[in-house]
Amino acid sequence: MADHAILSIDGKSYEFPLVTGTENETAIDIATLRGVTGGITTLDPGYKNTGSCESAITFLNGEEGILRYRGYAIEDLAEKASFLEVTYLLIFGELPTQQQLDKFHQDIKEESHVDEDIKKILDGFPKSAHPMGVLASLTSALTAFNPGAVNVDSEEEMYNAMVKLLAKFPVLVAWTMRKKKSQPLDYGSDNLGYVENLHKMMFARASKDYEVDPVIIDALDKLLILHADHEQNCSTSTVRIVGSSQAGLFASISAGISALWGPLHGGANQAVIEMLEGIKQDGGDTKKYMAKAKDKEDPFRLMGFGHRVYKNFDPRAKIIKKSADEVLEKLGVQDQVLDIAKGLEKEALEDDYFVKRKLYPNVDFYSGIIYRALGIPVEMFTVMFAMGRVPGWIAQWREMRLKKEPIGRPRQVYVGETLRAFKDIKQR
Ligand code: CMC
Protein backbone atom coordinates (compact mmCIF):
# COMPACT_ATOMS: atom_id res chain seq x y z
CA MET A 1 0.00 0.00 0.00
CA ALA A 2 1.12 3.56 -0.70
CA ASP A 3 2.71 5.42 2.18
CA HIS A 4 1.20 8.81 1.46
CA ALA A 5 -1.95 10.54 0.22
CA ILE A 6 -2.03 13.37 -2.29
CA LEU A 7 -4.41 16.28 -2.00
CA SER A 8 -4.88 18.53 -4.96
CA ILE A 9 -6.28 22.06 -4.58
CA ASP A 10 -6.30 24.66 -7.33
CA GLY A 11 -3.74 22.76 -9.37
CA LYS A 12 -1.29 22.44 -6.48
CA SER A 13 -0.72 19.09 -4.83
CA TYR A 14 0.25 18.32 -1.30
CA GLU A 15 1.53 15.06 0.16
CA PHE A 16 0.52 13.70 3.52
CA PRO A 17 1.94 10.57 5.17
CA LEU A 18 -0.27 7.55 5.91
CA VAL A 19 -0.20 6.15 9.41
CA THR A 20 -0.97 2.45 9.86
CA GLY A 21 -1.93 0.88 13.19
CA THR A 22 -1.12 -2.61 14.44
CA GLU A 23 -4.45 -3.90 13.10
CA ASN A 24 -3.79 -2.27 9.71
CA GLU A 25 -6.14 0.65 10.19
CA THR A 26 -4.89 3.47 8.00
CA ALA A 27 -5.15 7.20 8.59
CA ILE A 28 -3.97 10.25 6.70
CA ASP A 29 -1.77 12.33 8.96
CA ILE A 30 -2.88 15.90 8.25
CA ALA A 31 -0.88 17.59 11.02
CA THR A 32 0.81 19.87 8.45
CA LEU A 33 -2.36 20.62 6.41
CA ARG A 34 -3.00 24.21 7.50
CA GLY A 35 0.66 25.12 7.36
CA VAL A 36 1.35 23.89 3.82
CA THR A 37 -1.97 24.96 2.29
CA GLY A 38 -2.04 28.40 3.87
CA GLY A 39 -4.90 27.80 6.28
CA ILE A 40 -7.17 25.18 4.71
CA THR A 41 -8.80 23.00 7.33
CA THR A 42 -10.99 19.85 7.36
CA LEU A 43 -14.70 19.74 8.18
CA ASP A 44 -16.15 16.62 9.81
CA PRO A 45 -19.17 17.23 12.10
CA GLY A 46 -19.50 14.47 14.67
CA TYR A 47 -15.89 13.39 13.87
CA LYS A 48 -17.24 10.53 11.78
CA ASN A 49 -13.96 10.32 9.84
CA THR A 50 -11.50 11.90 12.21
CA GLY A 51 -9.03 10.13 14.45
CA SER A 52 -8.12 12.23 17.48
CA CYS A 53 -5.17 10.19 18.75
CA GLU A 54 -3.09 7.05 18.45
CA SER A 55 -4.07 4.73 21.28
CA ALA A 56 -2.87 1.30 22.47
CA ILE A 57 -5.79 0.58 24.81
CA THR A 58 -8.86 -0.70 22.96
CA PHE A 59 -9.30 -2.13 19.48
CA LEU A 60 -12.70 -2.07 17.88
CA ASN A 61 -13.67 -3.28 14.42
CA GLY A 62 -17.24 -2.26 13.73
CA GLU A 63 -17.57 -4.23 10.48
CA GLU A 64 -16.58 -7.53 12.08
CA GLY A 65 -17.98 -6.87 15.56
CA ILE A 66 -14.60 -7.14 17.31
CA LEU A 67 -13.81 -5.55 20.67
CA ARG A 68 -10.51 -6.11 22.47
CA TYR A 69 -8.95 -4.51 25.53
CA ARG A 70 -5.14 -4.43 25.25
CA GLY A 71 -5.33 -7.27 22.73
CA TYR A 72 -7.63 -9.55 24.77
CA ALA A 73 -11.02 -10.49 23.30
CA ILE A 74 -13.98 -9.06 25.22
CA GLU A 75 -15.60 -12.52 25.15
CA ASP A 76 -12.62 -14.00 27.05
CA LEU A 77 -12.41 -11.17 29.53
CA ALA A 78 -16.16 -11.25 30.28
CA GLU A 79 -15.98 -14.99 30.84
CA LYS A 80 -12.68 -15.39 32.66
CA ALA A 81 -11.51 -12.16 34.29
CA SER A 82 -12.77 -10.03 37.18
CA PHE A 83 -13.61 -6.34 36.84
CA LEU A 84 -10.60 -5.38 38.97
CA GLU A 85 -8.25 -7.44 36.77
CA VAL A 86 -9.70 -5.74 33.69
CA THR A 87 -9.26 -2.37 35.37
CA TYR A 88 -5.58 -3.12 35.94
CA LEU A 89 -5.21 -4.41 32.40
CA LEU A 90 -6.74 -1.31 30.83
CA ILE A 91 -4.67 1.11 32.87
CA PHE A 92 -1.30 -0.64 32.94
CA GLY A 93 -1.46 -2.66 29.73
CA GLU A 94 -0.95 -6.18 31.15
CA LEU A 95 -3.07 -8.63 33.12
CA PRO A 96 -1.89 -8.50 36.75
CA THR A 97 -0.18 -11.36 38.59
CA GLN A 98 -2.00 -12.41 41.79
CA GLN A 99 0.53 -10.38 43.78
CA GLN A 100 0.05 -7.25 41.66
CA LEU A 101 -3.71 -7.61 41.88
CA ASP A 102 -3.65 -8.02 45.67
CA LYS A 103 -1.47 -4.94 46.09
CA PHE A 104 -3.68 -2.92 43.73
CA HIS A 105 -6.78 -3.95 45.66
CA GLN A 106 -5.12 -3.22 49.00
CA ASP A 107 -4.07 0.26 47.83
CA ILE A 108 -7.66 0.92 46.72
CA LYS A 109 -9.02 -0.19 50.10
CA GLU A 110 -6.66 2.21 51.89
CA GLU A 111 -8.22 5.11 49.98
CA SER A 112 -11.85 4.05 50.16
CA HIS A 113 -13.04 6.73 52.57
CA VAL A 114 -14.51 9.97 51.31
CA ASP A 115 -14.43 13.15 53.34
CA GLU A 116 -17.44 13.38 55.67
CA ASP A 117 -18.14 16.86 54.28
CA ILE A 118 -19.06 15.24 50.95
CA LYS A 119 -22.23 14.18 52.76
CA LYS A 120 -23.19 17.82 53.28
CA ILE A 121 -23.01 18.36 49.54
CA LEU A 122 -25.07 15.22 48.98
CA ASP A 123 -27.64 16.48 51.48
CA GLY A 124 -27.98 19.71 49.53
CA PHE A 125 -29.45 17.99 46.47
CA PRO A 126 -33.21 17.62 46.16
CA LYS A 127 -34.36 14.00 46.23
CA SER A 128 -35.72 14.51 42.73
CA ALA A 129 -32.22 15.18 41.32
CA HIS A 130 -31.11 12.73 38.63
CA PRO A 131 -28.33 10.49 40.02
CA MET A 132 -26.07 11.29 37.03
CA GLY A 133 -26.15 14.99 37.90
CA VAL A 134 -25.41 14.20 41.53
CA LEU A 135 -22.58 11.83 40.58
CA ALA A 136 -20.96 14.35 38.21
CA SER A 137 -21.12 17.03 40.93
CA LEU A 138 -19.73 14.82 43.68
CA THR A 139 -16.91 13.59 41.44
CA SER A 140 -16.01 17.17 40.64
CA ALA A 141 -16.24 18.01 44.36
CA LEU A 142 -13.56 15.38 45.05
CA THR A 143 -11.13 17.90 43.53
CA ALA A 144 -11.84 20.30 46.38
CA PHE A 145 -11.04 17.61 48.94
CA ASN A 146 -7.95 16.40 47.09
CA PRO A 147 -6.38 19.61 45.77
CA GLY A 148 -3.12 19.86 43.90
CA ALA A 149 -2.26 19.04 40.32
CA VAL A 150 -0.91 15.60 39.47
CA ASN A 151 2.68 15.67 38.31
CA VAL A 152 2.56 13.37 35.28
CA ASP A 153 6.31 12.83 35.44
CA SER A 154 5.88 11.16 38.81
CA GLU A 155 4.73 7.56 38.49
CA GLU A 156 3.80 7.61 42.16
CA GLU A 157 1.57 10.69 41.89
CA MET A 158 -0.16 9.29 38.82
CA TYR A 159 -0.74 5.97 40.57
CA ASN A 160 -2.06 7.63 43.73
CA ALA A 161 -4.53 9.80 41.79
CA MET A 162 -5.90 6.80 39.89
CA VAL A 163 -6.18 4.63 42.99
CA LYS A 164 -7.99 7.42 44.84
CA LEU A 165 -10.56 7.68 42.10
CA LEU A 166 -11.09 3.92 41.85
CA ALA A 167 -11.50 3.79 45.64
CA LYS A 168 -13.87 6.71 46.10
CA PHE A 169 -16.01 6.35 43.00
CA PRO A 170 -17.98 3.27 44.20
CA VAL A 171 -18.75 5.15 47.42
CA LEU A 172 -20.18 8.07 45.43
CA VAL A 173 -22.16 5.70 43.19
CA ALA A 174 -23.70 3.93 46.18
CA TRP A 175 -24.42 7.11 48.12
CA THR A 176 -26.02 8.68 45.06
CA MET A 177 -28.52 5.82 45.04
CA ARG A 178 -29.04 5.93 48.80
CA LYS A 179 -29.81 9.63 48.56
CA LYS A 180 -32.46 8.97 45.92
CA LYS A 181 -34.05 6.35 48.17
CA SER A 182 -33.62 8.37 51.41
CA GLN A 183 -31.65 5.50 52.93
CA PRO A 184 -28.84 5.68 55.49
CA LEU A 185 -25.36 5.55 53.97
CA ASP A 186 -23.15 2.47 54.09
CA TYR A 187 -19.35 2.53 54.38
CA GLY A 188 -18.56 -0.86 52.83
CA SER A 189 -16.13 -3.44 54.15
CA ASP A 190 -12.46 -4.17 53.50
CA ASN A 191 -13.23 -7.89 53.69
CA LEU A 192 -15.11 -7.92 50.42
CA GLY A 193 -14.11 -7.99 46.77
CA TYR A 194 -14.26 -4.71 44.83
CA VAL A 195 -17.61 -5.37 43.13
CA GLU A 196 -19.11 -7.07 46.18
CA ASN A 197 -18.19 -4.04 48.25
CA LEU A 198 -19.90 -1.75 45.73
CA HIS A 199 -22.98 -3.93 46.00
CA LYS A 200 -22.86 -3.85 49.80
CA MET A 201 -22.62 -0.06 49.84
CA MET A 202 -25.63 0.10 47.53
CA PHE A 203 -27.88 -2.51 49.12
CA ALA A 204 -26.82 -3.55 52.66
CA ARG A 205 -29.26 -2.82 55.49
CA ALA A 206 -27.76 -1.49 58.69
CA SER A 207 -29.91 -3.83 60.78
CA LYS A 208 -29.09 -6.97 58.81
CA ASP A 209 -25.97 -9.03 58.09
CA TYR A 210 -24.89 -8.46 54.51
CA GLU A 211 -25.35 -11.50 52.31
CA VAL A 212 -25.55 -11.64 48.55
CA ASP A 213 -26.27 -14.30 45.96
CA PRO A 214 -23.00 -14.86 43.98
CA VAL A 215 -25.12 -14.89 40.79
CA ILE A 216 -25.75 -11.18 41.37
CA ILE A 217 -22.07 -10.34 41.87
CA ASP A 218 -21.04 -12.36 38.80
CA ALA A 219 -23.63 -10.63 36.65
CA LEU A 220 -22.62 -7.19 37.94
CA ASP A 221 -18.92 -7.97 37.41
CA LYS A 222 -19.60 -9.00 33.82
CA LEU A 223 -21.68 -5.90 33.07
CA LEU A 224 -18.96 -3.65 34.44
CA ILE A 225 -16.31 -5.42 32.30
CA LEU A 226 -18.42 -5.02 29.17
CA HIS A 227 -18.69 -1.28 29.79
CA ALA A 228 -15.07 -0.74 30.85
CA ASP A 229 -13.76 0.91 27.68
CA HIS A 230 -14.84 1.64 24.15
CA GLU A 231 -12.04 3.72 22.62
CA GLN A 232 -12.80 7.30 21.51
CA ASN A 233 -16.55 7.53 22.23
CA CYS A 234 -18.24 10.78 23.29
CA SER A 235 -17.51 10.59 27.03
CA THR A 236 -13.96 9.25 26.62
CA SER A 237 -13.13 11.96 24.08
CA THR A 238 -14.55 14.43 26.60
CA VAL A 239 -12.29 13.08 29.35
CA ARG A 240 -9.27 13.30 27.06
CA ILE A 241 -10.08 16.79 25.82
CA VAL A 242 -10.77 18.18 29.30
CA GLY A 243 -7.63 16.46 30.60
CA SER A 244 -5.63 17.93 27.72
CA SER A 245 -6.08 21.38 29.26
CA GLN A 246 -4.31 19.82 32.27
CA ALA A 247 -7.44 19.97 34.38
CA GLY A 248 -7.18 17.31 37.11
CA LEU A 249 -8.30 13.70 36.92
CA PHE A 250 -11.48 14.16 38.99
CA ALA A 251 -12.56 17.20 36.93
CA SER A 252 -11.92 15.32 33.68
CA ILE A 253 -13.91 12.29 34.84
CA SER A 254 -16.74 14.52 36.03
CA ALA A 255 -16.95 15.98 32.51
CA GLY A 256 -17.01 12.45 31.11
CA ILE A 257 -19.96 11.59 33.37
CA SER A 258 -21.91 14.56 32.00
CA ALA A 259 -21.17 13.46 28.43
CA LEU A 260 -22.25 9.91 29.22
CA TRP A 261 -25.58 11.10 30.65
CA GLY A 262 -27.14 11.91 27.25
CA PRO A 263 -29.73 9.49 25.81
CA LEU A 264 -27.70 8.98 22.62
CA HIS A 265 -24.80 7.69 24.73
CA GLY A 266 -24.94 6.04 28.19
CA GLY A 267 -28.38 7.45 28.95
CA ALA A 268 -29.76 5.02 26.38
CA ASN A 269 -29.92 2.18 28.94
CA GLN A 270 -32.50 4.10 30.99
CA ALA A 271 -34.28 5.19 27.81
CA VAL A 272 -34.51 1.56 26.62
CA ILE A 273 -36.32 0.32 29.73
CA GLU A 274 -38.62 3.33 29.70
CA MET A 275 -39.37 2.63 26.03
CA LEU A 276 -39.99 -1.09 26.65
CA GLU A 277 -42.21 -0.32 29.65
CA GLY A 278 -44.11 2.19 27.53
CA ILE A 279 -44.67 -0.44 24.82
CA LYS A 280 -45.82 -2.94 27.45
CA GLN A 281 -48.29 -0.50 28.94
CA ASP A 282 -49.55 0.34 25.46
CA GLY A 283 -50.55 -3.30 24.93
CA GLY A 284 -47.21 -4.70 23.70
CA ASP A 285 -47.78 -3.81 20.04
CA THR A 286 -44.15 -3.86 18.81
CA LYS A 287 -45.19 -3.30 15.17
CA LYS A 288 -46.64 0.10 16.06
CA TYR A 289 -43.30 1.18 17.57
CA MET A 290 -41.29 -0.24 14.69
CA ALA A 291 -43.38 1.94 12.37
CA LYS A 292 -42.79 4.98 14.59
CA ALA A 293 -39.01 4.35 14.57
CA LYS A 294 -39.01 4.28 10.77
CA ASP A 295 -41.23 7.35 10.34
CA LYS A 296 -38.98 10.33 9.61
CA GLU A 297 -41.72 12.72 10.79
CA ASP A 298 -41.73 11.02 14.20
CA PRO A 299 -38.84 11.82 16.57
CA PHE A 300 -39.14 8.34 18.16
CA ARG A 301 -36.02 6.16 17.77
CA LEU A 302 -35.65 2.56 18.75
CA MET A 303 -33.47 3.11 21.79
CA GLY A 304 -30.68 0.55 22.22
CA PHE A 305 -30.41 0.17 18.46
CA GLY A 306 -27.71 1.44 16.15
CA HIS A 307 -24.12 2.39 16.78
CA ARG A 308 -21.68 4.85 15.29
CA VAL A 309 -19.03 2.19 14.83
CA TYR A 310 -20.66 -1.27 14.89
CA LYS A 311 -22.24 -1.97 11.53
CA ASN A 312 -22.64 -5.73 11.88
CA PHE A 313 -23.30 -6.50 15.52
CA ASP A 314 -22.21 -5.19 18.90
CA PRO A 315 -20.28 -8.05 20.56
CA ARG A 316 -21.24 -6.69 23.98
CA ALA A 317 -24.94 -6.97 23.11
CA LYS A 318 -24.49 -10.65 22.21
CA ILE A 319 -22.86 -11.42 25.57
CA ILE A 320 -25.44 -9.38 27.48
CA LYS A 321 -28.41 -11.00 25.76
CA LYS A 322 -27.15 -14.46 26.74
CA SER A 323 -26.40 -13.25 30.24
CA ALA A 324 -29.90 -11.72 30.58
CA ASP A 325 -31.47 -15.12 29.90
CA GLU A 326 -29.16 -16.87 32.37
CA VAL A 327 -29.41 -14.30 35.16
CA LEU A 328 -33.19 -14.01 35.02
CA GLU A 329 -33.52 -17.78 35.06
CA LYS A 330 -31.07 -18.24 37.94
CA LEU A 331 -32.75 -15.50 39.98
CA GLY A 332 -36.21 -16.81 39.09
CA VAL A 333 -37.24 -13.42 37.68
CA GLN A 334 -39.86 -13.23 34.97
CA ASP A 335 -39.87 -10.00 33.06
CA GLN A 336 -42.35 -9.50 30.25
CA VAL A 337 -40.20 -6.67 28.99
CA LEU A 338 -37.48 -9.22 28.01
CA ASP A 339 -39.97 -10.87 25.64
CA ILE A 340 -40.91 -7.48 24.18
CA ALA A 341 -37.20 -6.71 23.67
CA LYS A 342 -36.60 -10.03 21.92
CA GLY A 343 -39.66 -9.46 19.74
CA LEU A 344 -38.46 -6.01 18.73
CA GLU A 345 -34.98 -7.32 17.95
CA LYS A 346 -36.37 -10.11 15.77
CA GLU A 347 -38.60 -7.72 13.83
CA ALA A 348 -35.84 -5.16 13.39
CA LEU A 349 -33.34 -7.73 12.12
CA GLU A 350 -35.83 -8.74 9.43
CA ASP A 351 -36.85 -5.21 8.52
CA ASP A 352 -35.43 -3.48 5.45
CA TYR A 353 -35.11 -0.10 7.17
CA PHE A 354 -32.86 -1.52 9.91
CA VAL A 355 -31.00 -3.95 7.66
CA LYS A 356 -30.18 -1.25 5.09
CA ARG A 357 -28.89 1.13 7.75
CA LYS A 358 -27.01 -1.66 9.57
CA LEU A 359 -28.83 -1.03 12.84
CA TYR A 360 -28.35 -3.78 15.45
CA PRO A 361 -28.99 -3.97 19.19
CA ASN A 362 -26.21 -2.23 21.10
CA VAL A 363 -24.85 -2.77 24.61
CA ASP A 364 -27.75 -0.84 26.14
CA PHE A 365 -30.58 -2.89 24.66
CA TYR A 366 -30.49 -5.75 27.18
CA SER A 367 -28.34 -4.33 30.00
CA GLY A 368 -31.25 -2.56 31.71
CA ILE A 369 -33.20 -5.80 31.92
CA ILE A 370 -30.34 -7.35 33.92
CA TYR A 371 -29.86 -4.26 36.09
CA ARG A 372 -33.54 -4.38 36.93
CA ALA A 373 -33.39 -8.08 37.80
CA LEU A 374 -30.48 -7.24 40.13
CA GLY A 375 -32.69 -4.72 41.95
CA ILE A 376 -31.02 -1.59 40.55
CA PRO A 377 -33.47 1.29 40.06
CA VAL A 378 -33.95 2.61 36.52
CA GLU A 379 -32.50 6.09 37.24
CA MET A 380 -29.28 4.34 38.36
CA PHE A 381 -28.68 2.48 35.09
CA THR A 382 -26.48 5.17 33.54
CA VAL A 383 -24.63 5.54 36.85
CA MET A 384 -23.78 1.82 36.59
CA PHE A 385 -22.48 2.45 33.06
CA ALA A 386 -20.28 5.22 34.49
CA MET A 387 -19.05 2.87 37.24
CA GLY A 388 -18.01 0.40 34.55
CA ARG A 389 -16.42 3.05 32.31
CA VAL A 390 -14.19 4.58 35.01
CA PRO A 391 -11.19 2.27 34.29
CA GLY A 392 -11.37 3.14 30.58
CA TRP A 393 -11.59 6.86 31.28
CA ILE A 394 -8.62 6.61 33.65
CA ALA A 395 -6.57 4.56 31.17
CA GLN A 396 -7.30 7.02 28.35
CA TRP A 397 -6.56 10.04 30.55
CA ARG A 398 -3.26 8.46 31.66
CA GLU A 399 -2.26 7.62 28.09
CA MET A 400 -3.04 11.14 26.91
CA ARG A 401 -1.12 12.77 29.79
CA LEU A 402 1.91 10.47 29.51
CA LYS A 403 2.16 11.21 25.79
CA LYS A 404 1.98 14.91 26.63
CA GLU A 405 -0.66 15.40 23.96
CA PRO A 406 -1.35 19.05 23.05
CA ILE A 407 -4.52 20.76 24.24
CA GLY A 408 -7.54 19.58 22.22
CA ARG A 409 -8.88 22.43 20.16
CA PRO A 410 -10.83 21.73 16.94
CA ARG A 411 -11.12 24.26 14.11
CA GLN A 412 -14.32 25.49 12.48
CA VAL A 413 -15.57 26.99 9.25
CA TYR A 414 -17.17 30.31 10.12
CA VAL A 415 -20.50 30.86 8.33
CA GLY A 416 -21.82 33.88 10.26
CA GLU A 417 -22.08 37.57 9.33
CA THR A 418 -19.03 39.31 7.91
CA LEU A 419 -17.95 42.65 9.41
CA ARG A 420 -20.94 44.94 10.11
CA ALA A 421 -21.17 48.57 11.23
CA PHE A 422 -22.37 48.91 14.82
CA LYS A 423 -25.91 50.32 15.13
CA ASP A 424 -26.93 52.46 18.05
CA ILE A 425 -29.78 50.90 20.11
CA LYS A 426 -32.28 53.57 18.91
CA GLN A 427 -31.64 52.67 15.29
CA ARG A 428 -32.16 48.89 15.62
N1 CMC B 1 -33.92 4.02 15.47
C1 CMC B 1 -34.35 4.40 14.24
N2 CMC B 1 -33.53 4.88 13.29
C2 CMC B 1 -32.23 4.99 13.58
C3 CMC B 1 -31.72 4.61 14.83
C4 CMC B 1 -32.62 4.11 15.80
N3 CMC B 1 -32.19 3.75 17.00
N4 CMC B 1 -30.38 4.83 14.87
C5 CMC B 1 -30.07 5.32 13.66
N5 CMC B 1 -31.17 5.42 12.88
C6 CMC B 1 -31.22 5.86 11.49
C7 CMC B 1 -31.10 7.38 11.39
O1 CMC B 1 -32.38 7.98 11.43
C8 CMC B 1 -30.40 7.54 10.07
O2 CMC B 1 -31.35 7.32 9.04
P1 CMC B 1 -31.21 8.13 7.63
O3 CMC B 1 -29.93 7.66 7.03
O4 CMC B 1 -32.43 7.73 6.85
O5 CMC B 1 -31.19 9.58 7.99
C9 CMC B 1 -29.43 6.35 10.01
O6 CMC B 1 -30.05 5.34 10.83
C10 CMC B 1 -28.03 6.66 10.56
O7 CMC B 1 -28.18 7.19 11.88
P2 CMC B 1 -27.28 8.34 12.51
O8 CMC B 1 -28.02 8.98 13.63
O9 CMC B 1 -26.76 9.22 11.42
O10 CMC B 1 -26.07 7.48 13.05
P3 CMC B 1 -25.01 7.95 14.13
O11 CMC B 1 -23.80 7.11 13.92
O12 CMC B 1 -24.82 9.43 14.09
O13 CMC B 1 -25.72 7.61 15.53
C11 CMC B 1 -26.50 6.45 17.44
C12 CMC B 1 -25.47 6.47 16.29
C13 CMC B 1 -26.09 5.36 18.43
C14 CMC B 1 -26.46 7.80 18.18
C15 CMC B 1 -27.90 6.18 16.87
O14 CMC B 1 -27.93 4.91 16.23
C16 CMC B 1 -29.00 6.27 17.93
O15 CMC B 1 -29.52 7.36 18.19
N6 CMC B 1 -29.38 5.11 18.59
C17 CMC B 1 -30.32 5.14 19.67
C18 CMC B 1 -29.63 5.57 20.96
C19 CMC B 1 -28.74 4.49 21.54
O16 CMC B 1 -29.12 3.32 21.62
N7 CMC B 1 -27.52 4.89 21.99
C20 CMC B 1 -26.58 3.98 22.64
C21 CMC B 1 -25.33 3.80 21.83
S1 CMC B 1 -24.33 2.41 22.42
C22 CMC B 1 -23.82 2.84 24.01
C23 CMC B 1 -22.79 3.88 24.00
O17 CMC B 1 -21.61 3.53 23.84
O18 CMC B 1 -23.11 5.05 24.17
Side-chain angles (χ1 to χ4, degrees):
M1 190 175 178
D3 63 354
H4 65 274
I6 297 172
L7 176 68
S8 170
I9 305 169
D10 258 351
K12 273 195 187 164
S13 48
Y14 307 92
E15 262 186 38
F16 299 96
L18 295 183
V19 177
T20 306
T22 47
E23 291 284 352
N24 294 322
E25 290 169 301
T26 304
I28 306 169
D29 178 351
I30 56 155
T32 58
L33 177 69
R34 285 178 51 80
V36 296
T37 58
I40 291 181
T41 192
T42 53
L43 183 63
D44 185 20
Y47 310 117
K48 292 191 176 192
N49 305 279
T50 300
S52 59
C53 60
E54 288 179 275
S55 177
I57 301 171
T58 289
F59 173 66
L60 201 168
N61 178 328
E63 273 65 42
E64 293 178 33
I66 294 173
L67 173 61
R68 293 182 202 140
Y69 299 160
R70 301 282 191 183
Y72 293 100
I74 190 66
E75 292 80 4
D76 276 347
L77 293 171
E79 188 68 36
K80 298 170 191 161
S82 71
F83 179 58
L84 204 58
E85 276 177 283
V86 169
T87 300
Y88 188 100
L89 170 72
L90 282 168
I91 297 175
F92 302 109
E94 296 295 339
L95 284 166
T97 61
Q98 189 62 54
Q99 207 185 3
Q100 286 169 327
L101 187 64
D102 291 346
K103 177 178 183 312
F104 188 46
H105 194 191
Q106 189 54 39
D107 292 341
I108 289 173
K109 285 179 194 168
E110 300 291 336
E111 285 291 346
S112 63
H113 53 275
V114 300
D115 196 294
E116 282 290 289
D117 283 344
I118 287 271
K119 283 201 222 163
K120 292 186 192 148
I121 303 177
L122 185 66
D123 275 345
F125 286 101
K127 237 188 87 184
S128 58
H130 193 284
M132 281 298 274
V134 178
L135 185 68
S137 308
L138 294 184
T139 306
S140 183
L142 284 179
T143 315
F145 295 93
N146 301 272
V150 182
N151 173 9
V152 293
D153 294 321
S154 157
E155 220 171 277
E156 196 188 339
E157 277 193 34
M158 286 291 272
Y159 182 80
N160 290 344
M162 296 183 301
V163 159
K164 266 188 189 168
L165 183 66
L166 288 165
K168 297 176 198 315
F169 201 76
V171 182
L172 302 186
V173 164
W175 286 8
T176 296
M177 188 185 91
R178 297 243 177 200
K179 163 81 193 181
K180 188 88 190 153
K181 293 175 142 190
S182 300
Q183 288 174 344
L185 305 183
D186 185 277
Y187 288 81
S189 161
D190 279 357
N191 299 324
L192 300 175
Y194 187 75
V195 173
E196 211 175 353
N197 194 42
L198 163 72
H199 187 268
K200 176 184 186 298
M201 288 189 286
M202 291 176 79
F203 292 104
R205 281 178 45 197
S207 52
K208 219 175 155 200
D209 283 346
Y210 172 72
E211 264 178 59
V212 60
D213 186 338
V215 169
I216 293 184
I217 299 303
D218 284 353
L220 202 49
D221 208 274
K222 193 177 278 194
L223 280 172
L224 294 173
I225 291 173
L226 292 174
H227 287 89
D229 195 43
H230 214 232
E231 51 119 298
Q232 308 312 316
N233 55 82
C234 178
S235 57
T236 302
S237 299
T238 302
V239 169
R240 284 185 85 123
I241 208 162
V242 173
S244 77
S245 76
Q246 300 187 5
L249 176 61
F250 300 137
S252 306
I253 300 292
S254 168
I257 295 168
S258 297
L260 186 73
W261 190 357
L264 297 190
H265 191 9
N269 56 15
Q270 175 174 345
V272 169
I273 279 286
E274 286 166 354
M275 172 188 81
L276 294 173
E277 272 298 332
I279 298 176
K280 184 176 120 187
Q281 270 152 32
D282 195 21
D285 182 358
T286 48
K287 292 210 165 41
K288 175 175 161 189
Y289 286 87
M290 288 289 288
K292 274 166 76 64
K294 295 189 285 181
D295 181 356
K296 294 285 167 204
E297 303 301 311
D298 191 324
F300 176 81
R301 275 193 167 197
L302 201 53
M303 298 312 285
F305 256 77
H307 198 275
R308 170 61 62 79
V309 187
Y310 293 121
K311 299 298 174 196
N312 181 337
F313 65 93
D314 180 339
R316 302 167 301 172
K318 268 196 174 175
I319 301 171
I320 290 186
K321 183 181 177 188
K322 189 163 160 264
S323 180
D325 277 330
E326 286 167 7
V327 172
L328 266 62
E329 198 197 313
K330 280 189 195 157
L331 296 177
V333 174
Q334 287 199 332
D335 194 340
Q336 203 193 329
V337 147
L338 179 59
D339 299 327
I340 295 179
K342 284 183 178 170
L344 273 176
E345 179 185 349
K346 188 166 177 298
E347 280 172 45
L349 296 183
E350 289 165 359
D351 190 293
D352 239 26
Y353 174 97
F354 288 87
V355 172
K356 225 171 85 201
R357 289 171 180 77
K358 301 187 174 167
L359 302 170
Y360 296 86
N362 59 49
V363 68
D364 291 325
F365 196 60
Y366 288 104
S367 64
I369 294 172
I370 309 185
Y371 286 137
R372 203 152 77 153
L374 303 183
I376 296 171
V378 176
E379 325 80 73
M380 283 294 290
F381 288 3
T382 315
V383 168
M384 299 314 291
F385 191 151
M387 180 67 241
R389 188 53 57 88
V390 159
W393 286 334
I394 293 177
Q396 301 271 353
W397 173 86
R398 176 177 180 266
E399 181 180 70
M400 180 271 308
R401 293 302 315 271
L402 290 181
K403 281 189 178 174
K404 305 225 160 57
E405 281 182 11
I407 185 166
R409 204 296 186 192
R411 290 277 172 172
Q412 64 166 17
V413 175
Y414 176 70
V415 293
E417 299 287 348
T418 52
L419 183 63
R420 297 198 271 181
F422 181 79
K423 263 191 205 159
D424 188 82
I425 196 160
K426 294 186 200 110
Q427 288 149 12
R428 285 174 216 163

